Amino acid sequence: MSEAWDFWAQQVLQGLTEDNAFTDQFIRNQNPPPILVPAPSSTRQIDHAFLFAQKLHRHTGWRLKNCLQKTSRVAQKHLDKWQRQALEMTSGEKISDRQAVIFVDDVVTTGATAKAAYLALGRPSNFFVIALASRHS
């Protein structure tokens, strides 16, 4: 499975470096470099977002901070779009305004997880989401 995450990290990074807007905002003009913050796992099973973030870290050298925790204990799997908006997280860190954050998740369904992460991290001004899939509900 590690090889698959490595492959997808390379594919995503290749696509991102071809996007001039992303490259300008998150790579060329960043001092300090962006940090990778994976979505917190909601189960005790395989943590896909963390594995994906680890591979992105390996290929970029960007710092990886696994600092988010869900405070909501309800699994999102069977919730509708409006129920998911109640998701809350905490972070042991607040991000400075100069720091770009790349939030890493495996699947974005409604954006509730990314929104909760954004709020938990103190609403960083440079916040970007990388995911392998987007599934609209």
Side-chain angles (χ1 to χ4, degrees):
M1 181 182 294
S2 178
E3 292 153 1
W5 286 113
D6 197 53
F7 171 81
W8 287 112
Q10 289 178 39
Q11 295 299 304
V12 166
L13 290 168
Q14 180 179 348
L16 291 175
T17 55
E18 293 170 2
D19 179 348
N20 290 331
F22 175 86
T23 301
D24 287 344
Q25 183 175 2
F26 286 93
I27 299 174
R28 285 193 193 117
N29 299 324
Q30 285 303 312
N31 186 19
I35 59 169
L36 299 163
V37 178
S41 177
S42 58
T43 66
R44 294 176 195 225
Q45 297 173 350
I46 299 170
D47 189 345
H48 294 129
F50 183 73
L51 292 173
F52 185 32
Q54 279 184 314
K55 294 302 181 178
L56 291 168
H57 162 73
R58 182 175 162 255
H59 288 287
T60 62
W62 297 335
R63 285 187 310 145
L64 174 61
K65 288 191 175 188
N66 194 13
C67 60
L68 294 172
Q69 292 183 315
K70 289 183 181 178
T71 56
S72 307
R73 294 292 171 208
V74 179
Q76 292 188 55
K77 189 171 186 176
H78 300 290
L79 300 180
D80 66 29
K81 180 178 182 176
W82 306 112
Q83 292 170 319
R84 288 175 182 240
Q85 297 304 313
L87 175 67
E88 293 180 352
M89 289 184 200
T90 60
S91 172
E93 300 195 29
K94 295 295 183 211
I95 305 300
S96 80
D97 237 12
R98 294 181 338 115
Q99 182 69 64
V101 174
I102 299 176
F103 178 71
V104 181
D105 207 347
D106 54 346
V107 178
V108 173
T109 304
T110 65
T113 304
K115 178 183 174 187
Y118 171 75
L119 296 173
L121 293 168
R123 301 174 186 232
S125 58
N126 287 321
F127 186 84
F128 188 79
V129 178
I130 291 179
L132 288 178
S134 174
R135 184 178 67 206
H136 300 284
S137 63

